[in-house]
Amino acid sequence: MSIEVPSSLSLVEIEGSPFQVGVALGRHGGECVHRHLVKTHAWASVMAFAHHERITAARALVESRFPRYFEELEGLASGLELPFDEVFAWNCRGDIRAIAPDGCTTVLLPGECPVLAHNEDGDPGLRPGCAVARIASAGGRAFSAFVYPGSLPGHTFALNDAGLAMTVNNIRSRRTGTGLPRMVLGRAVLDCATAGEALEMLASSPRAGAFHISLAQCGARDVHSVEFTHSACSVRQFDRAAVHANHLIHEGTRDECQRITASSQSRQERGEEILAGGGPASDPLTVLWDRQRTALPIYREQPDDPDGENTLATAVFRIDMDRIACEIYDRANAAPLFRFEERRLLPD
């Protein structure tokens, strides 16, 4: 993998056992977590459920099915110097409350050389603790991912050493239940060798909450759009440019009970409007950096955003038959901060 680093959004390189990886992530984000996150209403509302029976059941499922990620969470709590129960609950936040933050918009461009692009929207107060992390956790695949302070990797955008790219959108489902935390399932995708393996894992796992995950892989022309909830898992391959703005839109899932914020609805409508208008669909930044709807834009930077979210980073994955190239931006209309590349994984 090649890396170019001009600076700004920090780059963190971590290698070690799952526990050591978690500790390093915790130490990196600890100052921001203690200065900002633990003082937010979002944190307090999740902590009210820290000992709920569904959280207890999720903890047992993670420990038995994904012990490596359980160790990463234990290390994360240690590095943050916070009780494990609190850190585990925070990593179940979208499974227990439909108001969970992190909006996000994804553009999917199928074709001879598919493109997958993503705005990562989240609490701007967490910006100082965010990073692009290059992680090699013993027993799993190496990957690069945008990480939030206090959270496992795998719920934003990422690229692993098998040439599998992933982007994730929050779904505010009101029909959650007992199962594996959605963020743990996202973390599990990063250890998959193929999109097919990831799709099978997501479909067959007991799921607590809901996510939208987009998958693309070097050597393949398919771009997969996955909406999973507690009770359903829908997979689509688009034959034309599409946009997804963090609410359920697949025919098999969109009628489920969910919370759609005004921003989420506006971003979906505006993205579809741009693509339908025949604009330069080959450049997803035309969509992701759009601010035409000034009150509820796709690219979010208002201090009074109604969801309390801003666009913290933008990633563009360009998929060829033998490689995936990724560019990461920390602001609109600027040069990319990071460039990553992964070559196609060849059979032994």
Side-chain angles (χ1 to χ4, degrees):
M1 167 173 281
S2 58
I3 303 175
E4 299 176 25
V5 188
S7 86
S8 186
L9 184 68
S10 62
L11 176 70
V12 180
E13 304 241 21
I14 301 172
E15 183 174 358
S17 69
F19 184 83
Q20 290 169 331
V21 166
V23 169
L25 286 170
R27 288 174 177 168
H28 173 80
E31 191 277 333
C32 186
V33 167
H34 286 278
R35 177 187 52 79
H36 173 72
L37 179 58
V38 299
K39 299 176 183 178
T40 63
H41 172 73
W43 179 272
S45 61
V46 171
M47 291 310 109
F49 292 88
H51 301 288
H52 191 279
E53 61 184 12
R54 278 174 47 196
I55 298 296
T56 302
R59 176 172 172 168
L61 278 171
V62 176
E63 190 169 17
S64 63
R65 293 189 177 224
F66 294 115
R68 289 182 54 254
Y69 311 147
F70 192 84
E71 291 176 27
E72 286 183 7
L73 285 162
E74 288 182 315
L76 184 62
S78 178
L80 290 169
E81 298 182 353
L82 287 172
F84 176 79
D85 288 352
E86 294 183 7
V87 173
F88 187 87
W90 180 244
N91 281 267
C92 297
R93 56 190 179 272
D95 305 293
I96 56 178
R97 56 191 300 265
I99 194 59
D102 308 337
C104 307
T105 305
T106 298
V107 176
L108 305 92
L109 303 179
E112 289 296 312
C113 295
V115 175
L116 182 59
H118 180 81
N119 275 354
E120 181 57 39
D121 298 346
D123 178 357
L126 297 177
R127 189 190 301 269
C130 293
V132 173
R134 173 65 178 169
I135 296 175
S137 181
R141 295 191 173 279
F143 61 88
S144 301
F146 183 94
V147 294
Y148 282 95
S151 295
L152 277 178
H155 68 108
T156 57
F157 58 81
L159 173 63
N160 75 8
D161 64 3
L164 181 64
M166 173 178 75
T167 67
V168 183
N169 291 344
N170 180 29
I171 299 294
R172 297 181 172 99
S173 173
R174 298 185 184 276
R175 292 182 179 173
T176 57
T178 300
L180 287 160
R182 63 183 194 171
M183 287 174 60
V184 169
L185 291 172
R187 173 66 184 88
V189 169
L190 298 181
D191 278 331
C192 291
T194 66
E197 181 183 336
L199 294 173
E200 171 61 25
M201 182 274 297
L202 293 172
S204 62
S205 296
R207 301 173 300 270
F211 257 162
H212 173 260
I213 294 180
S214 299
L215 297 169
Q217 186 172 14
C218 59
R221 291 192 173 92
D222 294 327
V223 180
H224 303 275
S225 171
V226 186
E227 289 183 346
F228 73 76
T229 68
H230 171 59
S231 58
C233 185
S234 170
V235 181
R236 289 186 61 186
Q237 287 87 41
F238 293 99
D239 57 7
R240 62 184 185 277
V243 64
H244 196 288
N246 84 277
H247 60 270
L248 299 168
I249 61 173
H250 290 190
E251 185 173 351
T253 53
R254 64 190 178 198
D255 292 333
E256 289 203 21
C257 187
Q258 60 175 319
R259 184 175 185 271
I260 304 174
T261 69
S263 170
S264 181
Q265 187 67 51
S266 176
R267 285 180 283 115
Q268 185 70 38
E269 291 172 352
R270 176 57 183 156
E272 291 176 353
E273 181 181 280
I274 296 171
L275 296 178
S282 61
D283 182 6
L285 297 178
T286 301
V287 177
L288 294 179
W289 288 351
D290 183 80
R291 301 185 180 96
Q292 186 175 103
R293 296 190 176 188
T294 54
L296 296 169
I298 294 176
Y299 191 87
R300 308 163 76 183
E301 53 187 354
Q302 311 99 308
D304 61 345
D305 179 90
D307 294 347
E309 298 165 8
N310 279 186
T311 301
L312 305 180
T314 300
V316 179
F317 299 96
R318 301 186 187 278
I319 298 95
D320 289 327
M321 287 298 98
D322 64 343
R323 70 188 182 108
I324 290 186
C326 174
E327 295 180 337
I328 300 173
Y329 305 79
D330 76 333
R331 61 188 183 277
N333 303 308
L337 279 177
F338 305 105
R339 291 185 176 93
F340 298 105
E341 184 177 292
E342 285 288 359
R343 292 285 172 177
R344 182 177 183 180
L345 182 68
L346 298 175
D348 295 333

